[in-house]
Amino acid sequence: VYLLVTPPSSIPRTTAINSVTLSAGLLSLVVQTVPGQPCVIEVTDRLEGGDWRVIDQTIGDGQSHTMQLDTQGAARFVRLRTQ
């Protein structure tokens, strides 16, 4: 599993990944959110020309949220995107 965090340059970098765990094929990201700011976990099979698919998403409320992804199967690239 590869993890890529990509906040837009116009948004202050206050969204943070507090922890990452992998247990029994489940990747869990604990994300500190920003109120009103969407956070999205996306995956793709390849970085170059790959289509990113939304796996989990939340709207920030200033609290920590656990976002999860099943890692069973083929290797994939994962990114946390803020909007």
Side-chain angles (χ1 to χ4, degrees):
V1 174
Y2 300 93
L3 179 66
L4 173 66
V5 181
T6 59
S9 59
S10 61
I11 298 175
R13 295 174 186 251
T14 54
T15 297
I17 297 175
N18 293 340
S19 68
V20 178
T21 58
L22 181 62
S23 177
L26 188 65
L27 177 70
S28 296
L29 303 171
V30 178
V31 178
Q32 180 65 42
T33 64
V34 175
Q37 182 179 4
C39 292
V40 181
I41 292 181
E42 298 175 321
V43 298
T44 187
D45 298 327
R46 60 181 202 269
L47 286 178
E48 191 171 322
D51 292 323
W52 290 94
R53 298 177 308 280
V54 174
I55 299 299
D56 196 359
Q57 58 189 336
T58 190
I59 301 295
D61 59 5
Q63 302 297 313
S64 291
H65 290 264
T66 300
M67 303 175 79
Q68 297 183 323
L69 164 69
D70 182 359
T71 61
Q72 301 296 326
R76 295 181 284 176
F77 295 91
V78 179
R79 71 180 176 187
L80 171 66
R81 185 171 51 85
T82 57
Q83 299 175 326

